[in-house]
Amino acid sequence: MPAESETRPDGHDVVPGTVHLVDLDHTLHARHASNSGDIVLDPTPSNDPNDPLNWSPRRKLLSLISQNLYTWFAGISVSTVYSVLVPLSEASGVSVATLNEGTGYMFLFLGWSLLFWQPFSLRYGKRLTYMISVTGAIGTTIWSAYVKSNSEWIAKCIIQGFFISPIEALPEISVTDIYFTHERGTYMGIYAFTLAGSNYFAPVICGFIAEHQGWRWVFYWPAIFLGAVFIFLTLFMEETNYNRKITRQPQESTSSVKEFPEDEKDPATSETPPLAELGEVYGAPKTFIQRMAVWQPNPGQNMIHRAIRSLKFLGWPVIFYAGFSYGSYLIWFNVLNATASIILSGPPYNFGSSMVGLSYLSCCIGVTVGSFVSGRLSDWLTIKLARQNNGIMEAEHRLWPFVCCVVMVPGSLILWGVGAQHGIHWFGLIVGMGCLAFTNTMGITLSVNYLIDSYHDISGDAIVTVIIVRNTMSFAISYGITPWLTNLGYQNCFISAAFVGMAASSVFFIMVKYGKSMRVRSAAKYWELVSKDKAKWEGK
């Protein structure tokens, strides 16, 4: 076995992000996935029936649906304003420039507010955080329809960004709570589909809503659906916070994960003797009422310490890269939104507002394909590369699908900007939009998966760092794109953007080569943090 897969006495791998994922010789005394005899379960689940990793497929599915319903409708609620800028400005007296400025502040607070919400969710419960976020989203979405001044719009956007900011990090960590490494990419791809898809789908429908029902209904409908989501979360979303006391449980290599069906009254009965011998004692499965409790505080680091830790992670190269990678794909979404209406509604295309909205269907197709490639196919590729590496998975294996982005990002930017300058057929521009949406989805899934695979046990705090970097980049480009276009024109602007995009996409090659050495250098600090966290929630 290679040196990097050696384990510490407490069961942790020496190098975070280096995992023995495939048991090629069937010799590992570790728990294996039931659907594939040589796939090792990582993280190793406890024998507790209340451990989310041990939930039945039905409970996991309900949790996944809850997370993505929240993501979809909260995502739509922050994306509707682009379709009603003119009527909103005329009715409220708020200038279009101020409307765009407020949106920039909202996206900035969508990132930085996580310094409050992520520590809150880890301490007091993700279920509670989701429900508060939905409540705030409903209120601020309705407020959008009644704004009357510039300052009120800015205040509304800041408060809306604060309440909806959990959308940026909480679903990713919720996926990590219930799914294993070998399957995480698939479900992270579903999250990327709902996050990016909601942003692209909103313009498709909002133009028609504004035209046939009035512009205020663009805000009313998301609020109505968010109300329905709140009811669904109240009835079906369970808390996924769990402190796993045993990270690696030695067992026979032929054992598989035991899932506990809903109707099984005492699933731990058959396990009681060996568990008692091992010193493991777990309570009975929680009742439905216990699982649905809103208040489920969790021992551990206090919120201020967690927020400070997230800021300190800006100095960790792998974590900063994950944020940079995520942001470097998101900024092209901002560029597309800033120019789509101008290009498609002007000559020679002269699209009406509804047709401009329909053009975003190509983005929805790109998101769908991107979520599959970066999700399901990413899992397949990661397992395949692990098999070729003597069963050892390196976190950098997740990054290889970025190869296609090195070509597609500059290609789609040139097709969009240079094509618009020369008046090419509208279908060419639509293809460029779809390709950009594809790369945006790849950036979401692969960047977050790389972070979680590298530093799984601190990912709850590190994801905040990633989103802060990402949203700060997004905020900056929202102010830079207008003078960039004005001073250079479409052709030169997008040619330069293509080279910037290709360079940013190519950074993953550096991480493939040097990422592991960066993880090796951070190993001591990583395990120190993990040990401190474990001591906190064990009350030591």
Side-chain angles (χ1 to χ4, degrees):
M1 189 179 298
E4 62 266 26
S5 62
E6 294 175 0
T7 57
R8 290 157 52 105
D10 58 4
H12 294 296
D13 293 328
V14 169
V15 182
T18 297
V19 177
H20 203 141
L21 188 64
V22 184
D23 186 7
L24 297 175
D25 300 321
H26 299 276
T27 57
L28 283 181
H29 295 286
R31 300 180 71 174
H32 293 60
S34 57
N35 63 340
S36 181
D38 62 352
I39 302 296
V40 178
L41 293 179
D42 179 76
T44 303
S46 69
N47 292 293
D48 185 357
N50 296 311
D51 186 342
L53 291 175
N54 289 329
W55 285 358
S56 66
R58 176 180 172 274
R59 289 175 70 183
K60 290 187 177 184
L61 179 61
L62 273 177
S63 181
L64 186 71
I65 291 172
S66 299
Q67 297 157 22
N68 286 285
L69 279 175
Y70 163 80
T71 303
W72 181 265
F73 288 107
I76 286 179
S77 72
V78 299
S79 305
T80 56
V81 68
Y82 296 112
S83 59
V84 293
L85 285 175
V86 174
L88 176 58
S89 177
E90 292 174 350
S92 64
V94 180
S95 67
V96 173
T98 302
L99 292 176
N100 284 322
E101 182 182 355
T103 304
Y105 281 115
M106 179 182 68
F107 280 102
L108 185 66
F109 273 80
L110 281 171
W112 285 88
S113 297
L114 286 174
L115 289 173
F116 170 80
W117 285 116
Q118 196 69 0
F120 180 89
S121 69
L122 295 174
R123 187 64 186 269
Y124 299 108
K126 296 185 179 74
R127 172 175 161 82
L128 175 62
T129 306
Y130 278 113
M131 295 174 71
I132 294 175
S133 179
V134 171
T135 304
I138 293 170
T140 53
T141 301
I142 295 174
W143 185 8
S144 301
Y146 296 97
V147 169
K148 294 298 181 183
S149 66
N150 289 357
S151 58
E152 186 182 359
W153 175 258
I154 297 295
K156 190 279 306 182
C157 288
I158 290 174
I159 295 172
Q160 186 173 32
F162 174 77
F163 276 109
I164 301 182
S165 64
I167 193 178
E168 305 283 15
L170 208 53
E172 295 106 304
I173 302 304
S174 298
V175 167
T176 303
D177 290 339
I178 60 177
Y179 291 109
F180 299 99
T181 297
H182 70 278
E183 59 188 359
R184 189 185 302 131
T186 298
Y187 299 104
M188 204 69 77
I190 294 174
Y191 162 73
F193 169 79
T194 55
L195 180 66
S198 63
N199 290 320
Y200 289 121
F201 184 69
V204 175
I205 59 172
C206 286
F208 292 98
I209 292 174
E211 184 176 338
H212 296 287
Q213 289 187 295
W215 64 269
R216 281 193 169 94
W217 279 95
V218 169
F219 301 110
Y220 292 158
W221 278 117
I224 291 170
F225 280 105
L226 283 168
V229 169
F230 181 87
I231 296 172
F232 189 91
L233 298 188
T234 301
L235 296 176
F236 299 111
M237 172 171 262
E238 296 187 46
E239 180 58 61
T240 60
N241 279 349
Y242 182 81
N243 293 322
R244 199 163 291 108
K245 295 184 179 181
I246 296 182
T247 57
R248 188 174 297 278
Q249 175 61 50
Q251 291 188 2
E252 292 298 322
S253 61
T254 56
S255 65
S256 61
V257 62
K258 180 175 178 61
E259 292 178 334
F260 303 101
E262 295 287 324
D263 57 355
E264 196 171 324
K265 292 184 178 180
D266 190 7
T269 301
S270 60
E271 301 287 340
T272 301
L275 292 179
E277 292 173 11
L278 290 168
E280 295 182 57
V281 179
Y282 298 106
K286 292 180 179 180
T287 64
F288 177 80
I289 299 299
Q290 290 174 323
R291 298 204 307 262
M292 292 298 140
V294 174
W295 182 255
Q296 299 187 46
N298 193 38
Q301 298 282 355
N302 67 45
M303 292 176 57
I304 295 177
H305 289 167
R306 283 192 178 277
I308 293 173
R309 176 188 292 184
S310 296
L311 293 176
K312 288 181 178 179
F313 284 153
L314 289 168
W316 291 42
V318 169
I319 296 175
F320 185 85
Y321 164 75
F324 169 80
S325 173
Y326 198 162
S328 66
Y329 291 97
L330 177 69
I331 60 176
W332 307 125
F333 163 74
N334 294 342
V335 170
L336 182 66
N337 269 345
T339 57
S341 181
I342 299 172
I343 291 174
L344 294 176
S345 63
Y349 309 107
N350 300 313
F351 282 14
S353 59
S354 298
M355 288 303 297
V356 172
L358 282 176
S359 68
Y360 276 85
L361 283 175
S362 67
C363 296
C364 297
I365 296 172
V367 166
T368 303
V369 177
S371 63
F372 177 75
V373 173
S374 63
R376 187 82 173 187
L377 289 184
S378 171
D379 280 340
W380 171 82
L381 179 62
T382 300
I383 294 172
K384 183 178 179 64
L385 292 174
R387 291 187 192 280
Q388 295 175 357
N389 192 36
N390 297 320
I392 305 298
M393 186 202 87
E394 303 289 356
E396 287 72 31
H397 289 169
R398 288 283 187 191
L399 299 178
W400 280 111
F402 275 141
V403 166
C404 61
C405 295
V406 175
V407 177
M408 290 188 68
V409 168
S412 55
L413 286 171
I414 289 174
L415 184 59
W416 174 255
V418 179
Q421 178 74 33
H422 291 274
I424 66 169
H425 191 274
W426 60 265
F427 186 75
L429 302 188
I430 301 303
V431 170
M433 292 175 71
C435 290
L436 273 179
F438 171 87
T439 60
N440 183 26
T441 311
M442 295 281 283
I444 295 172
T445 312
L446 299 180
S447 302
V448 173
N449 267 333
Y450 178 53
L451 165 75
I452 294 172
D453 286 340
S454 296
Y455 301 120
H456 179 274
D457 291 336
I458 60 171
S459 58
D461 296 316
I463 190 69
V464 177
T465 313
V466 169
I467 301 303
I468 286 174
V469 173
R470 187 207 77 166
N471 278 32
T472 302
M473 292 174 65
S474 174
F475 179 75
I477 197 68
S478 67
Y479 280 92
I481 183 60
T482 300
W484 197 4
L485 276 171
T486 303
N487 294 330
L488 295 181
Y490 285 122
Q491 178 165 307
N492 290 337
C493 172
F494 280 93
I495 288 177
S496 61
F499 281 102
V500 172
M502 183 169 64
S505 301
S506 299
V507 174
F508 95 91
F509 287 113
I510 298 174
M511 298 307 297
V512 167
K513 184 170 179 61
Y514 298 108
K516 182 176 180 179
S517 63
M518 295 175 185
R519 289 187 285 114
V520 169
R521 287 196 294 270
S522 66
K525 290 189 293 183
Y526 172 78
W527 292 119
E528 181 182 356
L529 290 175
V530 172
S531 298
K532 286 181 178 179
D533 285 346
K534 185 176 180 181
K536 281 282 185 181
W537 55 255
E538 287 182 346
K540 294 180 179 178

